[in-house]
Amino acid sequence: MQFIADLKLECEACHGKRFKSDVLEVKYRQKDIYDVLEMTVNQAIEFFAEDTANLPQLIVRKLRPLQEVGLGYIKLGQPSSTLSGGESQRVKLASFLATDAQGNKLFIFDEPTTGLHFDNINRLLQVLIKLRNQGNTLVIIEHNLDVIKRFIETTMGIQNTSIEINYGTDEMTEMLQEII
C-alpha cells in the first residue's frame, strides 16, 4: 500500500498563520495570537506567569495540569489530530484536573505508562496519586512491575485504600509478597 505525501499550501493572505491581519495586530506583551499558539505549554506557563494580573494567572492554572501529566512539550495550537493515543488520554486527564471537581469519580486506566519516558511515568504516577488522594477510585491495568510496585508503596498508608491485584507470573507473585 502506498500513501501520497501530505501536500501543504501556504495561504497568501495570512502566510500560514490562520488569522486575518487585523486579528494579528492585537498584541499582549509583544505577542499576537499566532505567537502564543506556537508556544509549548511550558513556554506559555513561563510567559503568563510573569504577569501577576488575574487573567494570566488563570491561564497558568489551566495550563499546569497539562504540564503535570507530562505534556509540557506540546504546542498550544497543535491540532488534536496530531496527538498520539496516549497524549490524547493525558489531555483528557489534564482537563479533569483543571476543574474543581473532586472525589467520587471512577477512572479506568489501561496500560497508562506504555510508551512513556521514565520522567513522564513519574509525573503520571504523581497525578494518579493526586486523584486517589482526592477520593477517586482508580482501576489500573498495568504490566510494568516497577510502576505497580511504586504505586502500591505510595498508596499503602492511605486510609480507605483497597488494592486488589490479579497476577499470573512468578516474578510478580514474588515482588508483591515483598511489598504487601
Side-chain angles (χ1 to χ4, degrees):
M1 179 179 243
Q2 294 181 347
F3 293 97
I4 299 173
D6 291 341
L7 178 63
K8 294 185 179 183
L9 299 175
E10 188 175 286
C11 172
E12 292 179 18
C14 71
H15 303 288
K17 292 188 173 185
R18 303 179 312 212
F19 295 96
K20 294 180 180 180
S21 59
D22 56 336
V23 172
L24 294 171
E25 288 174 10
V26 177
K27 305 270 186 195
Y28 172 75
R29 295 182 45 221
Q30 292 79 45
K31 303 276 187 198
D32 60 34
I33 186 67
Y34 176 78
D35 296 330
V36 171
L37 291 176
E38 283 296 301
M39 292 178 185
T40 64
V41 169
N42 290 337
Q43 291 168 335
I45 288 173
E46 186 177 316
F47 177 73
F48 288 107
E50 293 173 4
D51 190 336
T52 58
N54 288 342
L55 184 59
Q57 291 308 305
L58 175 63
I59 293 169
V60 169
R61 280 195 306 277
K62 294 294 185 180
L63 290 176
R64 281 232 193 268
L66 288 168
Q67 193 178 49
E68 288 176 15
V69 297
L71 293 175
Y73 60 88
I74 64 172
K75 289 184 177 183
L76 297 183
Q78 184 171 336
S80 61
S81 61
T82 65
L83 299 175
S84 71
E87 288 170 332
S88 295
Q89 288 179 1
R90 288 186 284 153
V91 167
K92 289 179 189 175
L93 182 56
S95 69
F96 175 80
L97 292 173
T99 67
D100 293 331
Q102 288 195 13
N104 299 322
K105 303 279 188 286
L106 170 66
F107 290 89
I108 302 174
F109 296 96
D110 184 12
E111 300 284 348
T113 63
T114 300
L116 290 183
H117 185 273
F118 186 72
D119 289 337
N120 286 335
I121 290 174
N122 288 335
R123 288 175 187 244
L124 183 59
L125 279 174
Q126 293 305 314
V127 168
L128 294 176
I129 291 163
K130 182 178 180 179
L131 286 172
R132 173 57 197 100
N133 290 345
Q134 291 175 345
N136 297 296
T137 300
L138 308 178
V139 175
I140 304 170
I141 300 148
E142 180 62 67
H143 290 92
N144 183 328
L145 294 180
D146 290 330
V147 171
I148 295 168
K149 181 179 178 182
R150 287 178 44 218
F151 188 76
I152 290 171
E153 289 172 344
T154 307
T155 58
M156 283 297 276
I158 299 173
Q159 189 176 16
N160 297 327
T161 296
S162 171
I163 299 173
E164 182 175 327
I165 301 169
N166 295 307
Y167 52 88
T169 67
D170 291 337
E171 180 184 9
M172 186 172 277
T173 303
E174 251 179 63
M175 181 204 68
L176 293 173
Q177 286 173 344
E178 290 174 19
I179 297 171
I180 300 176

